[in-house]
Amino acid sequence: MNRDLTSKTRTERDSLGDVEVPADALYGAQTQRAIDNFPVSGLVMPRAFIRALGLIKQACAAVNVRQGQLDDTIGAAVQQAAARVASGEYDSQFPIDVFQTGSGTSTNMNANEVIAALARRDAGVAVHPNDHVNMSQSSNDVIPSCIHVSAALLVYEELLPALRHLHQVLEDKGQQLAATVKTGRTHLMDAMPVTMGQELGGWASQVALAIARLEQSSVRLTALAIGGTAVGTGINAQPQFGEGVAASLAQLTGIQFVVKDNYFEALSCQDTAVETSGQLKTLATALLKISNDLRWMNSGPLTGLAEIELPALQPGSSIMPGKVNPVIPEAVAMACAQVTGNDVTITLAGQSGNFQLNVMLPVIGYNLLQSIQIMASSARLLADKAIAGFTVNVERLAAALDRNPILVTALNREVGYEKGAAIAKQAYAQKRPVLEVALELTDLDEDTLKRLLDPRLLTGCN
């Protein structure tokens, strides 16, 4: 990052020497070095990550005070400052690029410096970023814990509620359309009839299974690396420090965090993040399928399927007046593509655990949190701006059913496959209802044919 040399700065010192830092910045030398060293993308760690980092620092200070390691006054000042960081008041003080040191040390030190500066300013006590704010911690256990805490908070507070909402909207719409019969399609070709309730029920089941998978994976997100410190041995931390921090985080968030059974696994790999990303990719696959079905059903209005009409949200063309596009399913489809790409990044990054530490932690955290957030937003968009408000073109459905030659499948047991194929072929060629052609080519009477070819009965509904 290029700095305006005419702006006011102050001189900070670290173990490498003097550094010029903006005069009004709460951060110090190590943050500024990271700003200068990593001018890669302009992307910074997201709000959810900074929130989790503040909560972890707050919890660590509380436990250090209880264990007699940190002065009460300093500890209280650190907790108060960390809580303010968690609340989002100082997100602008976290300018370090996502693409930084692989352990996330730069972001951890950024938090230490900001919290120390706030504590000094607000409480008037001498607070050191490393000795006090980072007491009993290492970037190597803080940042993996931060990934888990931030992801768990987003899953429980945003994603799962959004998915439950989508599921309910699908269930409600399916019940409204339980008696609406339409042509089924396989290979995008006409197939036997289904009800729209059955079709939406399939979507609802996909979402329900995604919820169940995420609930199962999220249990492992609540297990934290904190207390393992540098390599998993817990050096410089008191016994039970990690357990105390997890308990404190549980009080702060309402989520029952615990420490990992094995610190060496917790620091050296990111398998739980990879697992969670895989569940998000599965969810994205489901939402993309639903979005594409909606697009096909909405296609037309004259030359497409035109089975439904999605809510008209905006003009669809800069050159074709009156055109309206399925913008919500398209937006959701793009979000799903992004999540699928994020999963590839997280998978590759998860493989970069070398001996006692994974060295792609920031990019894992960034992509995982983005995936959770855009899936939560996409679920609500799909529910509220597409599914809840679409209307059904009942006349179009009925006309297509009447002409569907595949209905002849229902006659297989009565007339055989070959005769059925002949009926279907003639009905399609002459653009006539199957019932009319079957009356000519079989010995079945009209009442029998009407019963056998009743589209609603063919869906399995009474």
Side-chain angles (χ1 to χ4, degrees):
M1 175 183 287
N2 293 323
R3 297 198 303 279
D4 181 357
L5 297 180
T6 64
S7 64
K8 294 182 179 180
T9 64
R10 69 178 192 271
T11 302
E12 292 280 342
R13 172 176 288 275
D14 63 10
S15 59
L16 295 182
D18 292 344
V19 181
E20 291 301 307
V21 177
D24 59 352
L26 291 171
Y27 54 77
Q30 295 205 41
T31 300
Q32 188 61 57
R33 289 192 189 279
I35 293 170
D36 295 338
N37 287 337
F38 308 117
V40 180
S41 68
L43 302 173
V44 297
M45 298 308 290
R47 161 94 284 271
F49 194 90
I50 304 306
R51 176 193 179 193
L53 192 50
L55 289 171
I56 288 170
K57 295 296 179 180
Q58 182 181 357
C60 287
V63 176
N64 279 321
V65 169
R66 288 200 299 270
Q67 291 188 332
Q69 302 301 302
L70 189 60
D71 174 81
D72 288 357
T73 302
I74 293 175
V78 170
Q79 290 178 71
Q80 183 177 10
R84 295 180 70 182
V85 166
S87 74
E89 287 185 60
Y90 297 101
D91 285 359
S92 63
Q93 297 294 316
F94 290 83
I96 298 173
D97 205 278
V98 167
F99 302 100
Q100 53 169 283
T101 177
S103 60
T105 297
S106 297
T107 292
N108 184 43
M109 278 307 306
N110 188 175
N112 293 336
E113 289 179 340
V114 169
I115 291 168
L118 284 172
R120 287 194 298 267
R121 186 187 73 185
D122 296 342
V125 293
V127 179
H128 191 278
N130 293 73
D131 294 340
H132 299 135
V133 182
N134 201 60
M135 178 180 282
S136 308
Q137 305 151 57
S138 164
S139 300
N140 299 352
D141 64 346
V142 167
I143 299 301
S145 296
C146 198
I147 292 172
H148 277 220
V149 170
S150 56
L153 287 169
L154 280 183
V155 167
Y156 285 117
E157 294 177 356
E158 296 187 25
L159 180 56
L160 288 175
L163 290 177
R164 293 184 185 113
H165 174 64
L166 173 59
H167 181 261
Q168 188 61 56
V169 169
L170 286 167
E171 290 270 285
D172 292 345
K173 195 74 170 183
Q175 289 176 9
Q176 293 171 20
L177 300 175
T180 303
V181 183
K182 59 167 283 185
T183 299
R185 289 182 182 83
T186 58
H187 303 270
L188 293 180
M189 305 299 287
D190 298 341
M192 292 299 289
V194 297
T195 70
M196 293 202 74
Q198 290 170 330
E199 195 161 51
L200 269 73
W203 300 347
S205 182
Q206 284 186 278
V207 175
L209 288 169
I211 291 169
R213 293 186 191 101
L214 282 162
E215 287 175 336
Q216 293 164 3
S217 294
S218 296
V219 172
R220 285 175 283 284
L221 281 176
T222 62
L224 308 180
I226 198 70
T229 65
V231 293
T233 60
I235 186 69
N236 288 345
Q238 293 295 304
Q240 306 305 309
F241 174 77
E243 287 83 351
V245 173
S248 182
L249 284 168
Q251 291 181 333
L252 290 169
T253 64
I255 296 174
Q256 294 306 304
F257 289 106
V258 296
V259 293
K260 285 247 187 175
D261 293 335
N262 189 302
Y263 280 136
F264 300 100
E265 180 270 340
L267 272 62
S268 65
C269 78
Q270 280 293 302
D271 292 352
T272 298
V274 173
E275 176 193 6
T276 303
S277 179
Q279 304 295 14
L280 293 165
K281 181 185 71 173
T282 304
L283 168 62
T285 302
L287 296 190
L288 185 51
K289 181 263 193 288
I290 294 168
S291 296
N292 279 331
D293 281 355
L294 287 167
R295 291 174 61 237
W296 277 105
M297 292 162 70
N298 182 76
S299 62
L302 298 179
T303 59
L305 297 181
E307 294 181 343
I308 66 170
E309 185 176 336
L310 291 167
L313 299 177
Q314 62 188 65
S317 174
S318 61
I319 190 172
M320 293 176 281
K323 193 169 187 287
V324 179
N325 295 330
V327 292
I328 297 301
E330 288 175 352
V332 171
M334 286 189 285
C336 293
Q338 182 68 47
V339 170
T340 302
N342 287 352
D343 181 64
V344 174
T345 298
I346 292 168
T347 299
L348 292 172
Q351 296 168 7
S352 294
N354 308 128
F355 300 109
Q356 278 69 61
L357 183 66
N358 181 285
V359 290
M360 290 195 182
L361 296 176
V363 79
I364 290 174
Y366 182 88
N367 281 276
L368 185 63
L369 296 179
Q370 184 190 65
S371 291
I372 296 169
Q373 288 176 315
I374 64 177
M375 283 294 90
S377 299
S378 295
R380 291 195 180 275
L381 276 178
L382 205 57
D384 297 337
K385 294 193 174 183
I387 293 164
F390 78 69
T391 56
V392 179
N393 188 343
V394 177
E395 293 79 11
R396 181 89 170 202
L397 295 183
L401 277 170
D402 187 52
R403 297 192 309 271
N404 183 4
I406 306 302
L407 291 178
V408 77
T409 304
L411 304 182
N412 280 357
R413 291 189 178 182
E414 303 293 332
V415 302
Y417 185 91
E418 299 300 333
K419 176 67 75 172
I423 294 169
K425 184 176 180 180
Q426 185 170 324
Y428 179 74
Q430 297 176 352
K431 295 181 173 54
R432 295 168 61 201
V434 169
L435 189 146
E436 286 184 12
V437 177
L439 275 171
E440 296 174 1
L441 299 185
T442 73
D443 296 328
L444 298 172
D445 61 66
E446 186 172 357
D447 288 342
T448 300
L449 284 170
K450 284 182 177 179
R451 175 175 54 81
L452 291 173
L453 296 172
D454 185 337
R456 179 166 175 77
L457 294 179
L458 293 177
T459 67
C461 298
N462 295 322

